[in-house]
Amino acid sequence: MNRPPTDPAKGPTHPAAEELLGRLTAYRSQDAPTHGGRVLSYVYDSGRPDLERLAAQAAEQVLWVNGLDPTTFPSVALLEGDLVRFAREMLRGPRVTGSVTSGGTESCLLAVLAARERWRRARQDREQRRPRLVVPASAHAAFHKAAHLFDLEVVVVPVDPRTGRPLVADMVAATEHPDVALVVVSAPSYPHGVVDPVTEVAEAAAALGVPCHVDACIGGLVLPWWEAAGGGAVPPWDFSVPGVSSISADLHKYGFAPKGASLLLFADPELDRARYFALTAWPGYPVVNPTLLGTRSTTSLAAAWAVVGALGPDGYVELTGRTVRATAATRAAVEGIEGLRVLGDPTGPLLAVATDDAVPPERRVDPHLWAGAVGRRGFVLQGQPGIAQSDGTVLPRSTHLTVTPVTEGVLPELVRALEEAADEVRGWAQSEEPSRGASEPGEALGIPDPEALAQAARAGGDLDLAQVLELIEALPREQSADLLRRFLAAFTAPG
Ligand SMILES: *Cc1c(COP(=O)(O)O)cnc(C)c1O
């Protein structure tokens, strides 16, 4: 930190609390708003300030607790036990066991780790083989990260570009390989918001002796109440489905808890224990870690526990009802816009919006230029690049919307922004955006210097996200991933 020079005459060497908090407020003023429904990804606003005060008070009570050792701090086990009990009912697995982790990524990592350990233990000749992780193309990046960290080979099954779902036959064929350690399905998938064929894949996996993980990171605390809240039928996806061996469900998404909390549940206690790391062969304290960290904060655990306790199933049904209504209205608005379409038939509160190729080119709307134009009207949407799949089909570029209870309160404004933005950019192809018309030919696809981009962004300049996504589509993925690494390192380096 940039501390002011010390003046011995003035005493303390640290800035006064008031000044520090003022500086924090100034830093925070650069952030996107976490409340109010203007950012349709990243944040999940319940619209309930009473819940947020409760969460903050609960977190403050445990601020100095170490979650490393629940025998020294039994509150950790009690809080976690209450949340797992809640999850048993919510996910219809009366005997499931599990943990509260730091987030969806950690839950997915640990599900893969458990399955890899089980795979290893069952194989004498494991040194000659490599475990496989079967995922639909729409599975979250966290599974690629897990395979990277824990050395599995990812087998990506294409999804149908019209539905966003993988074919059951393709998932089963990939799972038939003798080295498959785990097969993953999503409820729903993050990119397209559609629920995968969980029943069929889980059944086939069970017949093959392969565990099946349902990634309900985003759906886990909204789909259980979707139908009761008026959202219509949800295909089966929880522990009531035979063959489902583990489920991840984020408390910090539709659980409306502050960031840093997710549930990971297992049907089989032995598979559950396979993710624990235990060590007695060192001279320090005996180590047993069910999750990735050692010393860990329990602030998010306590806050999530308080929010879940205060809401209960009835509170979730009520909030889900608002989300259901806002999702239906947003979807109807998008479907009414010429040149755009909703990809597939989403179940739950996520929408992926793509170009409607059924209309003539001059009436089409590019989803990334649209997202930019919506952004200029005060709502932040999330662009997703198009991608070619192994079967030669292409998943179109799209724009992602995560709808929350507070979306309902801004609906008229949001719908107007979505419609006006489409009118503004209809008929533009990416490289024809007028603001770029004056640039040198080829500049739109010239490879930018990520360090210079980071500096410009830090100086308050807006990133042209449509251009970044276009670059990701155009470059080999390893090359664009490397540009991202360099960009973020530069963006976060001390100024
Ligand atoms: C958000 C999400 C994840 C990753 O969770 P984080 O909390 O961001 O680490 C994994 N899977 C799905 C389907 C998600 O929506």
Side-chain angles (χ1 to χ4, degrees):
M1 269 206 283
N2 236 345
R3 290 183 179 175
T6 308
D7 177 352
K10 286 190 183 151
T13 57
H14 60 82
E18 215 171 295
E19 192 209 315
L20 278 170
L21 293 175
R23 211 187 299 171
L24 175 57
T25 306
Y27 286 1
R28 283 277 293 117
S29 70
Q30 303 189 26
D31 291 349
T34 54
H35 290 75
R38 296 194 155 266
V39 180
L40 285 95
S41 58
Y42 301 115
V43 292
Y44 303 79
D45 182 358
S46 64
R48 291 268 307 263
D50 58 317
L51 282 181
E52 302 191 353
R53 271 194 304 277
L54 173 67
Q57 287 171 332
E60 187 165 11
Q61 276 205 30
V62 300
L63 208 48
W64 305 100
V65 168
N66 190 345
L68 170 65
D69 184 0
T71 66
T72 304
F73 302 100
S75 69
V76 181
L78 295 169
L79 291 167
E80 202 162 19
D82 286 349
L83 281 169
V84 170
R85 194 174 311 111
F86 180 81
R88 284 177 168 175
E89 197 167 317
M90 173 180 81
L91 301 174
R92 297 194 289 179
R95 280 175 299 279
V96 301
T97 57
S99 286
V100 176
T101 71
S102 64
T105 297
E106 189 180 11
S107 290
C108 298
L109 292 179
L110 290 167
V112 174
L113 178 63
R116 190 202 66 179
E117 291 304 290
R118 177 184 174 278
W119 179 93
R120 280 187 176 172
R121 286 170 199 177
R123 281 166 184 79
Q124 307 294 329
D125 60 343
R126 57 180 172 268
E127 299 305 330
Q128 283 81 55
R129 306 159 74 160
R130 194 158 177 234
R132 293 183 161 212
L133 176 63
V134 174
V135 298
S138 54
H140 197 275
F143 292 98
H144 295 265
K145 184 174 188 173
H148 170 70
L149 292 174
F150 304 139
D151 195 27
L152 290 89
E153 181 176 343
V154 193
V155 179
V156 178
V157 175
V159 299
D160 181 332
R162 299 302 308 183
T163 65
R165 290 155 49 104
L167 295 180
V168 173
D170 293 347
M171 290 296 289
V172 175
T175 308
E176 278 168 347
H177 189 281
D179 283 333
V180 174
L182 181 67
V183 57
V184 173
V185 279
S186 308
S189 71
Y190 183 83
H192 308 131
V194 298
V195 175
D196 288 334
V198 176
T199 306
E200 296 87 341
V201 172
E203 185 189 355
L208 293 164
V210 173
C212 173
H213 180 77
V214 177
D215 181 14
C217 275
I218 201 149
L221 281 100
V222 69
L223 292 187
W225 301 288
W226 194 255
E227 194 166 345
V234 176
W237 60 275
D238 59 18
F239 284 112
S240 66
V241 178
V244 169
S245 47
S246 53
I247 296 181
S248 46
D250 288 353
L251 294 159
H252 65 198
K253 288 178 182 161
Y254 287 94
F256 303 108
K259 295 304 179 217
S262 168
L263 283 157
L264 174 62
L265 289 315
F266 291 87
D268 171 9
E270 204 175 319
L271 181 61
D272 183 4
R273 270 195 304 275
R275 75 193 151 96
Y276 283 44
F277 176 78
L279 183 78
T280 49
W282 78 308
Y285 58 90
V287 170
V288 51
N289 298 150
T291 58
L292 292 176
L293 298 182
T295 285
R296 63 187 164 122
S297 164
T298 61
T299 52
S300 305
L301 168 65
W305 175 88
V307 169
V308 166
L311 278 172
D314 293 347
Y316 281 110
V317 171
E318 201 269 321
L319 287 175
T320 303
R322 289 192 226 170
T323 307
V324 163
R325 291 191 293 276
T327 306
T330 308
R331 182 172 177 175
V334 171
E335 284 171 344
I337 295 175
E338 189 188 15
L340 289 175
R341 66 186 170 96
V342 171
L343 197 146
D345 184 17
T347 302
L350 314 181
L351 300 174
V353 180
T355 298
D356 182 4
D357 295 322
V359 303
E362 69 275 12
R363 305 301 301 162
R364 292 178 194 163
V365 176
D366 178 276
H368 296 167
L369 297 179
W370 177 63
V374 173
R376 294 190 284 278
R377 289 166 174 78
F379 288 91
V380 182
L381 311 184
Q382 195 174 51
Q384 308 183 127
I387 184 166
Q389 305 191 93
S390 59
D391 63 355
T393 61
V394 174
L395 290 176
R397 63 170 66 153
S398 59
T399 286
H400 174 108
L401 286 78
T402 294
V403 178
T404 62
V406 298
T407 310
E408 208 183 13
V410 293
L411 262 177
E413 226 185 313
L414 172 65
V415 168
R416 198 175 336 115
L418 300 181
E419 291 171 349
E420 288 180 5
D423 290 341
E424 181 188 327
V425 303
R426 184 171 292 111
W428 297 359
Q430 268 266 29
S431 47
E432 292 167 12
E433 187 184 6
S435 63
R436 260 188 249 135
S439 60
E440 288 169 33
E443 196 198 50
L445 276 184
I447 298 173
D449 171 18
E451 282 83 14
L453 265 185
Q455 277 203 340
R458 287 233 315 211
D462 271 339
L463 278 174
D464 184 346
L465 287 174
Q467 198 175 358
V468 171
L469 290 165
E470 196 176 18
L471 195 65
I472 288 173
E473 289 171 350
L475 292 175
R477 298 291 157 137
E478 252 323 302
Q479 195 180 343
S480 50
D482 196 54
L483 291 176
L484 288 186
R485 288 187 193 102
R486 288 170 53 195
F487 172 83
L488 192 72
F491 189 79
T492 54

